[in-house]
């Protein structure tokens, strides 16, 4: 069987200049040869194309394992070892995979001996992987599927979405990947990757670097000091920051000299307010290009470009940009009829990653598209809070809270109410060195929101629970408000 163009591209890049630097981790550079040797060993241990679970962490050997499965035309089944041992064990048991790859501690804690699943232990790029005993008989690969990707789990338990080789190739190699020429030499400039590998953003950015033969710094997670040190050292032309990380940079002591060399910042995975984007640009002199994507789409379907930003930002601030990557966008009413320009309804998407024969995908996002094709995401229909007949969009309340100078982040959910049906409640995380109580925040919200939009309870916490992609974990936020009141809670609104 002929290898997919994505598999061929990975092989070409790994062999291009084997001794050139590929990935920096913990201030140590590893070569393309080191990355490639382990990738090929994983490929060899995998045997025929099959589903391979990987307990993914942000480490170089885990990148190699991902590449090794893709080299062999197999299916990477993403397993998040940070979800809690019991949940992860149950997930692994239900998957019944023939092979699971991971670090020794994760495999020992999470894979039950005698379960019929073989294990492949990876400890370092230079170390030989160790194969455990026994295999599960259920070893068929999902035909054409590159990655069974976990969704972010923002509103409920994460589910897996199949990302095909074609979808992934179009995302990282362009709309016609079969005709995309392999690089003839490594790219100049170093990228910084801090997105988690258990999220589509991390897989996308790693594969984008690999298919471009671009060296990259790989961070275990976003930490302000380590990220800033990497930016100062390597001076990337572009940085990617989820909204929570962007706000952390915005409200830090960093100045424009620390980000010298950065020409653009991109942001996605969650809503970013226009006010935060403007404040970032004003502080650092760097435009922020927001985008709109989903795991189900295999990547982005709308976003800002620099030319559009220069021409339209002042008039279109708050938009997530225009259709990108060959995507088509439309807004429909509840019956599926396409609405007029600037009218509100549910967003439908034909992602370019799915090819020209793709069907329209109905989202739960409330949106409008203006006459110039700019998309505005107004909230999620399945998260709307109906308080005594009034509709409240949680993102509007969250954005208002985050506009307070002392607030670093906020998360807003519905809570059942016997009289009103439901009311909004909020968790708030304050900026370091700042103080505010719930009464002050309520008074502030009274100046920017309607009275019915103001949360009936605000809890100030040290840290808002978040998913690996940086979004607020709304399931955990709801759990906070449904559990019995305890002494660890912060300030409350009546």
């Amino acid at each position: 069987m002929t290898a997919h163009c994505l598999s061929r591209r990975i092989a070409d890049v790994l062999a291009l200049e084997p001794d050139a630097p590929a990935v920096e981790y913990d201030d140590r550079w590893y070569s393309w040869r080191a990355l490639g040797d382990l990738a090929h060993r994983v490929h060899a241990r995998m045997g025929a194309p099959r589903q391979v679970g990987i307990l993914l962490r942000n480490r170089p050997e885990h990148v190699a394992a991902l590449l090794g499965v893709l080299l062999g035309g197999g299916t990477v089944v993403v397993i998040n070892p940070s979800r809690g041992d019991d949940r992860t064990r149950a997930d692994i048991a239900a998957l019944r995979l023939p092979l699971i790859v991971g670090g020794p501690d994760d495999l020992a804690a999470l894979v039950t001996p005698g379960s019929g699943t073989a294990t492949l232990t990876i400890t370092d790029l230079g170390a030989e992987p160790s194969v455990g005993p026994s295999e599960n008989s259920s070893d068929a690969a999902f035909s054409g599927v590159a990655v069974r990707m976990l969704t972010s789990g923002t509103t409920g338990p994460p589910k897996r979405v199949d990302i095909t080789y074609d979808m992934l190739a179009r995302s990282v190699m362009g709309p016609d990947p079969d005709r995309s020429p392999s690089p003839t030499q490594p790219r100049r400039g170093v990228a910084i990757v801090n997105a988690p590998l258990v999220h589509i953003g991390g897989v996308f950015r790693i594969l984008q670097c690999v298919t471009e033969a671009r060296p990259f710094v790989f961070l275990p997670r976003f930490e302000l000091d380590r990220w800033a040190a990497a930016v100062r050292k390597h001076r990337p032309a572009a940085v990617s920051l989820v909204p929570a990380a962007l706000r952390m940079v915005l409200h830090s002591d960093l100045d424009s000299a620390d980000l010298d060399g950065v020409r653009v910042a991109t942001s996605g995975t969650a809503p970013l307010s226009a006010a935060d984007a403007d404040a970032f640009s004003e502080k650092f002199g760097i435009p922020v290009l927001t985008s709109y994507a989903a795991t189900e789409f295999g990547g982005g379907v709308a976003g800002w470009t620099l030319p559009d930003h220069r021409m339209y930002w002042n008039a279109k601030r708050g938009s997530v940009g225009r259709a990108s990557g060959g995507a088509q966008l439309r807004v429909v009413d509840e019956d599926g009829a396409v609405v007029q320009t600037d009218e509100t309804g549910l967003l439908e998407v034909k992602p370019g990653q799915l090819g020209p024969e793709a069907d329209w995908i109905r989202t739960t996002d409330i949106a409008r598209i203006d006459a110039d094709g700019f998309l505005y995401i107004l909230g999620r229909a399945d998260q709307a809070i109906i308080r005594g007949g009034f509709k409240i969009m949680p993102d509007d309340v969250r954005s208002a809270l985050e506009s307070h100078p002392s607030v670093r982040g906020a998360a807003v959910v519905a809570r059942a109410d016997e009289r009103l049906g439901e009311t909004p409640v909020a968790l708030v995380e304050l900026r370091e060195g700042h103080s505010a109580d719930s009464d002050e925040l309520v008074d502030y919200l009274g100046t920017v929101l309607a009275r019915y939009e103001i949360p009936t309870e605000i809890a100030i916490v040290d840290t808002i629970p978040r998913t690996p992609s940086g979004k607020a974990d709304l399931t955990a936020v709801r759990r906070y408000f449904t559990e019995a009141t305890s002494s660890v809670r912060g300030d409350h609104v009546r």
Side-chain angles (χ1 to χ4, degrees):
M1 184 177 71
T2 303
H4 192 274
C5 62
L6 178 61
S7 303
R8 296 197 304 270
R9 172 65 69 87
I10 292 170
D12 289 346
V13 170
L14 293 175
L16 182 60
E17 285 192 20
D19 294 322
V23 54
E24 181 187 78
Y25 185 83
D26 276 348
D27 297 319
R28 176 185 174 186
W29 275 103
Y30 296 87
S31 67
W32 291 106
R33 184 189 304 280
L35 203 61
D37 283 351
L38 182 54
H40 284 291
R41 288 197 292 269
V42 170
H43 174 199
R45 299 296 190 277
M46 180 183 74
R50 62 178 66 187
Q51 292 186 80
V52 178
I54 307 182
L55 290 154
L56 283 168
R57 294 190 185 273
N58 276 28
R59 296 184 55 85
E61 63 268 26
H62 293 236
V63 173
L66 171 74
L67 298 179
V69 176
L70 296 180
L71 277 173
T75 299
V76 174
V77 181
V78 172
I79 304 174
N80 183 359
S82 301
R83 288 189 64 220
D85 287 1
D86 289 344
R87 286 193 297 178
T88 305
R89 287 192 202 101
D91 189 23
I92 290 172
L95 287 167
R96 299 189 70 249
L97 296 167
L99 178 65
I100 292 181
V101 183
D105 292 342
D106 284 337
L107 290 174
L110 301 171
V111 181
T112 304
S115 64
T117 295
T119 57
L120 185 64
T121 304
I122 50 175
T123 56
D124 188 81
L125 279 185
E128 187 71 20
S130 172
V131 182
S134 74
E135 286 198 20
N136 195 315
S137 60
S138 176
D139 64 353
F142 274 64
S143 177
V145 174
V147 182
R148 295 196 70 203
M149 192 76 239
L150 280 171
T151 60
S152 60
T154 306
T155 59
K159 61 181 184 295
R160 286 187 173 83
V161 174
D162 289 346
I163 309 296
T164 68
Y165 275 86
D166 287 345
M167 291 168 66
L168 211 47
R170 291 188 185 105
S171 290
V172 299
M173 295 165 60
D176 191 2
D178 282 310
R179 297 178 181 273
S180 172
S182 289
T184 57
Q185 59 184 13
R187 292 283 296 268
R188 294 189 176 188
V190 176
I192 298 174
V193 180
N194 50 263
L197 269 179
V198 294
H199 184 260
I200 185 63
V203 170
F204 171 81
R205 298 204 177 279
I206 288 295
L207 290 180
Q208 190 175 47
C209 289
V210 170
T211 55
E212 293 177 353
R214 183 184 295 281
F216 59 96
V217 177
F218 198 28
L219 300 180
R221 65 189 64 83
F222 181 84
E223 294 175 344
L224 181 64
D225 291 343
R226 296 180 74 169
W227 179 86
V231 170
R232 283 190 290 262
K233 178 179 178 182
H234 296 290
R235 304 184 45 164
V239 294
S240 177
L241 295 165
V242 299
L246 185 140
R247 287 176 58 82
M248 196 180 300
V249 175
L250 172 62
H251 297 306
S252 72
D253 293 331
L254 298 176
D255 59 28
S256 58
D258 292 297
L259 274 61
D260 183 45
V262 178
R263 297 291 173 260
V264 65
T266 60
S267 187
T269 77
L272 176 72
S273 72
D276 282 338
D278 284 340
F280 191 94
S281 298
E282 182 177 350
K283 180 175 181 178
F284 298 109
I286 298 169
V288 178
L289 306 183
T290 56
S291 61
Y292 174 78
T295 305
E296 293 85 345
F297 304 153
V301 294
W304 282 91
T305 64
L306 267 177
D308 273 354
H309 192 277
R310 294 187 185 109
M311 182 175 297
Y312 291 107
W313 176 255
N314 288 336
K316 313 281 188 180
R317 46 193 309 278
S319 167
V320 294
R322 295 199 266 197
S324 62
Q328 298 178 53
L329 311 173
R330 71 185 185 187
V331 176
V332 301
D333 62 20
E334 293 181 354
D335 297 323
V338 178
V339 304
Q340 298 297 312
T341 297
D342 265 327
E343 288 188 1
T344 298
L346 291 174
L347 178 66
E348 290 191 340
V349 178
K350 269 191 178 183
Q353 292 88 337
L354 296 183
E357 305 304 318
D359 293 327
W360 286 100
I361 297 175
R362 173 80 58 88
T363 75
T364 57
D365 289 317
I366 301 171
R368 67 179 177 88
I369 300 173
D370 72 11
D372 296 310
F374 283 87
L375 171 66
Y376 296 77
I377 302 296
L378 308 177
R380 289 184 59 164
D382 57 354
Q383 292 177 22
I385 301 168
I386 309 300
R387 179 179 184 175
F390 291 97
K391 180 181 287 188
I392 302 166
M393 300 312 299
D395 280 343
D396 292 342
V397 184
R398 176 199 55 78
S399 181
L401 279 165
E402 290 180 347
S403 68
H404 188 282
S406 294
V407 174
R408 176 177 171 182
V412 179
V413 296
R415 181 171 63 183
D417 183 273
E418 289 185 5
R419 185 172 64 89
L420 298 171
E422 54 188 6
T423 65
V425 290
L427 285 188
V428 169
E429 183 180 333
L430 298 180
R431 291 171 53 187
E432 187 175 351
H434 286 245
S435 63
D437 60 26
S438 55
D439 288 338
E440 178 184 339
L441 294 177
V442 167
D443 290 343
Y444 174 76
L445 292 179
T447 68
V448 293
L449 294 176
R451 183 174 178 80
Y452 64 82
E453 294 178 294
I454 298 174
T456 52
E457 182 175 353
I458 295 176
I460 297 174
V461 295
D462 292 335
T463 305
I464 293 172
R466 295 189 180 277
T467 67
S469 62
K471 299 179 183 179
D473 184 340
L474 299 184
T475 300
V477 175
R478 290 189 191 95
R479 189 182 307 121
Y480 179 97
F481 286 106
T482 55
E483 289 175 349
T485 301
S486 70
S487 59
V488 298
R489 289 197 178 180
D491 295 310
H492 296 103
V493 175
R494 45 193 185 277

